[in-house]
Amino acid sequence: MIHPSKKQMEKMKQSFLLCVVLLTGCSPRVVSDMFVTNYPAVAPDSVRVFQVGQKVPPKSLAIGKVKVVDNGFSGKGDYSMVLKLAVEETARHGGNGLIIERHRVPDMISTIHRVWGTMLRMDEAVSDSLALTSVGQTIESDRAYQYYQEEARVMQEERSERMKNLPRQVLKVNYGLSWLTSKYETGRRSYDSKLGTGFDVGLDFYWKSGIGIGLMYAHTRTEFDEGIKMYTNFVGPGVLFSEMIGKKFRMDAGIMLGYCRYSETWKDFRRSEDRFAALMRLGMEYMLSPNIGVGVQANMFTVSLKKPEGIELKSNEFYGVRRIGLEAGLRLYL
C-alpha cells in the first residue's frame, strides 16, 4: 500500500533531526576532524589560543578542526568551559595552537556557548615565546572574552525576561487539514496523496527552561473516491520544547510516541490495526491574555502497518501511513 521513495525517507530523517535539535539542550560535546595525526599529545597549558580575528604566526600548520557544541537535555557550558574543552582536545592531538574561528553565544536553540576552531601545530620556538605572553591571554583576548561574556549576559537576561511569560500548563485544541502523503492503492486506482481532515487535543507541562512533557490525542480522516474511508487515532506522551519569542508570541515543538488505531471502512467491510506510531509537531501561537490564546500547528505523523503477504518492498521502503497536517485552534493557559 505504501511505497515511500528513498528521497522521501531522507526528508523524514531530516525533519526528525530538526525536531531533535529543537528539543535538545546544552551539555557540551567535543567533535574533532583531523588532517594530520602523527603528533604526540602535549600539555593543555602549552596551547596558545587565538581569538576570533587575531593573527596567527606564519607557517603554522593546520592539523584539524574542532568544535564544541551542545548535546543532551541539561548541563552548563559558559565560554571558559567550552574553550577549555577545545584546548584539551587540541592538546590531545598534539596541537600547540588553537584559533577560534566562530563563537556563538547562548540563544533560543542552545543555552551554552559554542565554538568552532582550527587546531594548529606551530614552530616550537614560536610557541614557547608566545606561551610567555599567553598565560592569562593577551589584552585582545581578554577584551574578546569580556565582550562575549557581556553579550551572553545581556542575551540571557533578555531571554529570562521573556520566559517569565511562558505558560506552565497549556491545553491545546486544533482542527484543520491533513494530507496523506504516502501512496495508497484501492485496487481501482493509486493515490500519491489525498486531502483529509485532522483534529487533536493536547495537554502540555513546561519548566522554566522551556523543556516540557505532554500528552496528545490526534484523529485524522480521509475519504477516497471509491467510498473507502481511512482513520487514524493516535494517543501518546512526548518531550516538548517551548520558547517565548516576544511578550505575546510563543513557539513550541515536540516528539510524541504512542499507540495508534488504524482503520479502513468500505460499505460493510472494516479493517483495523493496533500499532506503535510517532508524531512530530511544530506550533506558533499568540497569547490574547494570560488565560487564552490562538495558534497554528503543523504535524507530521508516521505509522508502520503489517505488510500483507505477496507484497514485495524495496530495501528503502516501508509499509504504512505518512501524513502532514496543518491545523489552527485555541490555547488555554491553566
Side-chain angles (χ1 to χ4, degrees), residues 162-194:
R162 293 196 309 270
M163 293 298 281
K164 290 180 180 179
N165 295 327
L166 179 72
R168 300 303 159 82
Q169 300 180 47
V170 183
L171 177 64
K172 307 176 72 171
V173 180
N174 295 302
Y175 180 82
L177 301 176
S178 177
W179 287 268
L180 178 69
T181 59
S182 51
K183 189 176 181 180
Y184 183 84
E185 296 178 354
T186 65
R188 297 172 60 181
R189 61 172 292 190
S190 177
Y191 293 85
D192 291 326
S193 64
K194 185 65 174 177

Side-chain angles (χ1 to χ4, degrees), residues 184 217 219-222 227-233 259-274:
Y184 183 84
Y217 166 77
H219 169 82
T220 65
R221 178 182 185 275
T222 303
I228 300 173
K229 297 177 183 178
M230 176 194 292
Y231 304 92
T232 62
N233 288 280
Y259 162 81
C260 174
R261 165 59 68 93
Y262 171 83
S263 304
E264 291 180 1
T265 63
W266 182 68
K267 295 182 179 179
D268 295 330
F269 170 80
R270 181 179 180 88
R271 183 179 79 88
S272 63
E273 291 186 36
D274 297 324

Side-chain angles (χ1 to χ4, degrees), residues 213-271:
I213 56 175
L215 182 66
M216 180 176 175
Y217 166 77
H219 169 82
T220 65
R221 178 182 185 275
T222 303
E223 184 171 354
F224 299 90
D225 298 341
E226 293 80 3
I228 300 173
K229 297 177 183 178
M230 176 194 292
Y231 304 92
T232 62
N233 288 280
F234 167 86
V235 61
V239 179
L240 312 173
F241 172 80
S242 183
E243 181 79 16
M244 296 297 299
I245 56 177
K247 291 184 178 181
K248 298 291 185 179
F249 285 96
R250 183 180 78 94
M251 62 82 63
D252 66 86
I255 302 176
M256 325 297 292
L257 302 173
Y259 162 81
C260 174
R261 165 59 68 93
Y262 171 83
S263 304
E264 291 180 1
T265 63
W266 182 68
K267 295 182 179 179
D268 295 330
F269 170 80
R270 181 179 180 88
R271 183 179 79 88

Side-chain angles (χ1 to χ4, degrees), residues 312-331:
E312 297 295 330
L313 300 177
K314 297 179 181 179
S315 60
N316 62 345
E317 295 179 330
F318 88 116
Y319 189 85
V321 170
R322 194 174 62 252
R323 311 186 69 99
I324 295 177
L326 182 62
E327 304 169 347
L330 291 174
R331 311 288 184 264

Side-chain angles (χ1 to χ4, degrees), residues 31 50 52 65-70 86 98-105 113-119:
V31 180
F50 300 90
V52 178
K65 294 285 187 179
V66 63
K67 63 181 179 180
V68 183
V69 293
D70 51 27
L98 171 65
I99 178 170
I100 302 301
E101 298 169 327
R102 184 183 174 197
H103 173 208
R104 293 193 65 179
V105 297
H113 288 256
R114 289 142 290 164
V115 296
W116 290 257
T118 296
M119 295 179 277

